[in-house]
Amino acid sequence: MGKPTGFMEISRQDRRYKLVADRLQHYQEFVVPLTEEEVSRQGARCMDCGIPYCHQGCPVNNIIPDWNDLVYQGNWREAIEVLHSTNNFPEFTGRICPAPCEAACTLNLTDEPVTIKTIECSIIDKAWEMGWVKPLIPQHRTGKKVAVVGSGPAGLACAQQLARVGHSVVVYEKADRIGGLLRYGIPDFKMEKHLIDRRIAQMQAEGVVFRPNSHIGRDVPVQKLLDNYDAVILAGGAEKPRDLNVPGRELNGVHFAMEFLPQQNRRVAGDTLSDDTSIWATGKHVIVIGGGDTGSDCIGTSARHGAASITQLEILPKPPEKEKKEVTWPNWPNKLRTSSSHEEGCERF
């Protein structure tokens, strides 16, 4: 796949970020994409490794070596067809997936994996730019009706696949906008929401009907779904936060991440929030408990609010900065990961 000697001739090159001082002034994405020529050269690095361990790492079974090679060959139109064959929304995963495929890449044995995530995002961004992404409207309808409860990535992908084979699909979402955690959990600086709106428009053209402000079991009786649909898909997320039963938990200023993050997404969307319920980190010394991606999102949001300081606490021991490849590869390694939000300023313990 790619150029047989590409991995020996071409160094790994990934997208870069705009300067911290610039990106802290807004909530837009701040990734600087590679040029088409640069992406093609990165695709050339995909080696004929025999066993594509990147497949093992990818949770959606992307056919990664194939579209790496197609990009190298300049066949971008065919590359998006291959990418879409396994992934309904590569513009989402190309921005927010942690890329376990790259950890599993054979070239990661030398710390120079193929820039799979960047290539994926470049393919779909070019496809939208060129007008290659169009509604796939079924020629025949089955007469079957399906209700999908939840409009996160799982619910959306499920609804799109069902609609494309001819079923009548209605997506129910309890929030006021479609997208689940894509809409209200992921900060805009990691993924702007017009990307969701663009897909919703495509799915509506394919026949999917969206019903926001529809909380099943409260606004819409469960029995109504059972009576009116041939099948009901439950694609709701796990929104119940993990609480900490510790002294001081009842004090003011202690919030769950999913109380804090959605508020900022709503502000960016143009909503006006009540001063009584608004959570701001401006001028405050912020402590983020939890060392994962959600904690990182809280750090980046707090930095944009203008926090006086940000400290992140993690219960587990500090992992090594570099994993032992002979022990962990091709599995997802436990190592210290520094996100773009960490680079914007925080202490970690």
Side-chain angles (χ1 to χ4, degrees):
M1 309 303 296
K3 185 179 181 181
T5 56
F7 69 97
M8 296 186 289
E9 301 169 5
I10 303 169
S11 299
R12 173 182 165 92
Q13 182 182 7
D14 209 346
R15 297 171 287 187
R16 60 184 179 86
Y17 299 140
K18 294 181 180 178
L19 296 176
V20 170
D22 171 57
R23 68 195 197 223
L24 286 182
Q25 305 306 312
H26 58 78
Y27 292 90
Q28 287 97 41
E29 294 179 14
F30 50 81
V31 173
V32 180
L34 300 181
T35 66
E36 187 172 318
E37 293 72 24
E38 289 170 335
V39 175
S40 178
R41 283 174 55 82
Q42 292 304 299
R45 297 186 65 246
C46 187
M47 62 192 299
D48 189 3
C49 56
I51 299 176
Y53 286 99
C54 55
H55 286 187
Q56 173 180 317
C58 181
V60 297
N61 299 314
N62 279 335
I63 312 172
I64 296 165
D66 291 45
W67 40 260
N68 281 341
D69 180 60
L70 289 167
V71 166
Y72 164 58
Q73 300 293 343
N75 296 327
W76 291 77
R77 183 70 180 266
E78 188 175 351
I80 188 56
E81 297 296 328
V82 174
L83 179 52
H84 265 153
S85 70
T86 57
N87 190 340
N88 289 74
F89 313 121
E91 64 269 42
F92 302 164
T93 54
R95 285 171 167 82
I96 60 177
C97 177
C101 54
E102 294 188 20
C105 177
T106 302
L107 286 176
N108 191 38
L109 287 169
T110 57
D111 295 318
E112 289 237 327
V114 175
T115 52
I116 299 169
K117 180 177 175 179
T118 289
I119 296 172
E120 175 185 21
C121 196
S122 299
I123 293 171
I124 182 58
D125 285 352
K126 181 177 178 62
W128 279 108
E129 178 185 350
M130 298 300 294
W132 296 336
V133 183
K134 299 183 181 298
L136 300 181
I137 302 172
Q139 295 183 355
H140 304 284
R141 295 290 178 180
T142 64
K144 299 293 185 180
K145 297 166 57 179
V146 182
V148 177
V149 181
S151 69
L156 292 178
C158 178
Q160 186 169 63
Q161 291 301 107
L162 290 169
R164 287 177 174 179
V165 296
H167 302 316
S168 297
V169 183
V170 179
V171 177
Y172 290 90
E173 167 59 52
K174 69 179 182 180
D176 59 340
R177 294 182 178 94
I178 298 299
L181 288 184
L182 292 172
R183 176 76 65 179
Y184 287 129
I186 304 296
D188 288 74
F189 57 79
K190 288 178 66 174
M191 192 189 82
E192 295 179 15
K193 306 316 172 194
H194 67 85
L195 301 171
I196 307 173
D197 298 333
R198 188 171 57 181
R199 279 294 184 180
I200 291 173
Q202 179 199 31
M203 293 174 64
Q204 287 174 324
E206 293 170 343
V208 178
V209 175
F210 293 98
R211 296 278 186 261
N213 295 307
S214 300
H215 193 162
I216 304 303
R218 190 177 68 185
D219 304 322
V220 180
V222 174
Q223 193 60 45
K224 181 178 179 180
L225 300 186
L226 298 176
D227 293 341
N228 294 338
Y229 294 92
D230 296 287
V232 177
I233 308 296
L234 300 181
E239 291 189 358
K240 184 177 181 180
R242 180 182 176 185
D243 209 342
L244 288 178
N245 185 20
V246 295
R249 172 62 183 88
E250 73 286 354
L251 298 175
N252 292 332
V254 181
H255 307 282
F256 291 121
M258 284 307 294
E259 295 172 347
F260 178 57
L261 295 174
Q263 284 196 1
Q264 187 54 52
N265 286 15
R266 289 184 179 279
R267 294 187 191 102
V268 174
D271 293 353
T272 300
L273 305 182
S274 168
D275 292 338
D276 295 336
T277 58
S278 289
I279 305 171
W280 288 96
T282 309
K284 298 179 180 179
H285 297 284
V286 177
I287 295 177
V288 177
I289 300 176
D293 285 343
T294 303
S296 173
D297 294 343
C298 292
I299 291 168
T301 301
S302 298
R304 282 159 180 77
H305 281 187
S309 69
I310 306 172
T311 303
Q312 185 177 34
L313 304 180
E314 165 61 54
I315 191 173
L316 297 174
K318 184 178 180 180
E321 293 191 9
K322 180 177 172 56
E323 73 275 25
K324 295 182 179 180
K325 297 290 174 61
E326 67 273 17
V327 176
T328 63
W329 183 88
N331 297 317
W332 183 250
N334 177 36
K335 67 177 183 178
L336 184 66
R337 304 179 189 278
T338 300
S339 71
S340 60
S341 293
H342 291 134
E343 294 171 351
E344 292 165 1
C346 89
E347 293 290 330
R348 289 191 278 178
F349 298 97

